[in-house]
Amino acid sequence: MAKVLYPGSFDPVHLGHLDVVDQALELFGHVVVATMHNPAKPSGLFSLDERLAMIDEAVEALRGPGRTVEVLAFPGLAVDAARSAGVDFVVKGLRTGGDFEIEQQMAQTNHVAAGVRTVFVPCKPSLVYISSRFIREIAQYGGDVSAMVPPSVLLHLQRVTGRS
Ligand code: PNS
């Protein structure tokens, strides 16, 4: 078994992310979920601390014997989070070819710059359409995102958007 870092914006965490955590637990047994800043997505809905609290609630159901999940917020580079957490490598989920292009470039950069390896897991086909960006947009206009997020995240979205 191995210990892996799953970094992301998680603004907010959704069912697609939780599927990646679930797959990574099945494959490796120990996952450190790191909520981080993506400089390409500066206008977040939730603070890093709020995202961390939502992830911690959402992953509780995935924990069990031989299935360890740690959650942390890290404001710096993913490779520094990987070093500080002492993981064997980084794991990322791939939804589409578009994801692959971005993720491959990040994986190669992180390997060349810091020697940190990345492995990809394919997202469950029934969940590939889910994105945090669209969840934020729909929730801000009062739309229904209950099929895309766990119930705890739905409550946090309703709180910050003032919609129910
Ligand atoms: O969920 P996202 O937005 O696709 O996650 C992207 C994220 C946060 C993992 C990426 O932006 C990241 O690694 N940010 C930390 C800063 C960093 O390490 N940048 C160098 C990338 S090669």
Side-chain angles (χ1 to χ4, degrees):
M1 297 306 253
K3 180 173 171 183
V4 299
L5 183 84
Y6 178 29
S9 307
F10 306 116
D11 187 28
V13 66
H14 57 60
L15 297 184
H17 295 134
L18 295 174
D19 170 55
V20 174
V21 176
D22 191 41
Q23 291 192 53
L25 282 171
E26 191 182 328
L27 291 166
F28 310 116
H30 191 153
V31 181
V32 181
V33 184
T35 181
M36 313 197 63
H37 287 300
N38 180 344
K41 302 175 185 170
S43 54
L45 186 59
F46 293 100
S47 69
L48 280 188
D49 285 344
E50 287 176 312
R51 295 182 222 170
L52 183 142
M54 285 189 288
I55 297 165
D56 207 33
E57 265 181 291
V59 299
E60 187 51 36
L62 302 177
R63 292 186 168 116
R67 292 168 64 88
T68 303
V69 189
E70 290 175 63
V71 181
L72 53 86
F74 198 89
L77 294 173
V79 291
D80 289 334
R83 275 205 205 97
S84 138
V87 299
D88 298 293
F89 43 81
V90 167
V91 69
K92 289 289 194 77
L94 292 180
R95 291 169 298 187
T96 60
D99 276 357
F100 177 72
E101 289 201 4
I102 297 164
E103 295 297 346
Q104 185 194 37
Q105 196 175 11
M106 274 199 274
Q108 288 172 342
T109 304
N110 285 336
H111 184 238
V112 169
V116 174
R117 295 258 183 215
T118 300
V119 297
F120 298 127
V121 298
C123 293
K124 193 188 261 185
S126 59
L127 301 174
V128 288
Y129 67 93
I130 301 179
S131 90
S132 294
R133 178 187 150 200
F134 293 139
I135 289 169
R136 290 195 301 273
E137 277 182 24
I138 293 167
Q140 280 168 324
Y141 286 102
D144 180 9
V145 293
S146 58
M148 302 175 222
V149 295
S152 54
V153 170
L154 194 61
L155 291 176
H156 287 285
L157 281 166
Q158 288 166 347
R159 174 180 57 78
V160 295
T161 62
R163 308 270 190 166
S164 55

